[in-house]
Amino acid sequence: MYGLFEDEDDIFMGSPKSKLMDVIFNANNDVVRYELEKFIDRAAAMEMMMRERCSDKFSDNGDEIEKEIKSYILTNRDEIDSFSKNLYIEMMGAILSQSE
């Protein structure tokens, strides 16, 4: 499982999350905005797909979908942490490749 002080033992002195934050705060603002907009669009599309495919399970208010997401995160914490690290690295790479 993901340690509280993950950065302390990292050979590169930072987790993917902390390195992404460094990149976001130091990279070209337009590039960062573009990548964040892409990320939000993707998250919105995934949630809309989930609502469409599970319309019989969820009502329109979104409370059930939020509970389902939180439950999934709790049940799959290790896998979520691992996948999140990959997303941090992917976004960092996209920002850095456009900032050169």
Side-chain angles (χ1 to χ4, degrees):
M1 176 149 269
Y2 202 88
L4 178 62
F5 300 105
E6 180 178 332
D7 287 356
E8 288 182 4
D9 295 329
D10 194 319
I11 191 168
F12 298 111
M13 298 303 293
S15 66
K17 180 179 179 179
S18 68
K19 289 300 179 188
L20 174 62
M21 296 304 152
D22 289 344
V23 168
I24 285 174
F25 292 117
N26 292 297
N28 180 298
N29 195 20
D30 292 332
V31 172
V32 172
R33 285 176 189 255
Y34 173 73
E35 288 302 321
L36 289 174
E37 287 173 8
K38 278 184 14 182
F39 183 81
I40 294 298
D41 286 347
R42 183 177 165 96
M46 286 187 283
E47 186 165 330
M48 289 173 66
M49 287 170 47
M50 186 176 185
R51 287 177 188 265
E52 286 175 11
R53 294 183 182 175
C54 302
S55 61
D56 57 322
K57 186 174 181 180
F58 303 118
S59 68
D60 290 335
N61 67 10
D63 289 340
E64 291 90 359
I65 200 165
E66 188 63 29
K67 288 177 187 174
E68 186 75 17
I69 291 169
K70 287 179 180 180
S71 173
Y72 187 86
I73 290 171
L74 288 173
T75 305
N76 300 285
R77 182 77 262 169
D78 291 340
E79 293 86 359
I80 297 289
D81 288 342
S82 178
F83 196 78
S84 294
K85 288 178 185 178
N86 291 334
L87 291 176
Y88 291 134
I89 292 167
E90 184 179 315
M91 183 179 281
M92 185 175 20
I95 292 169
L96 290 173
S97 69
Q98 295 174 59
S99 297
E100 293 180 349

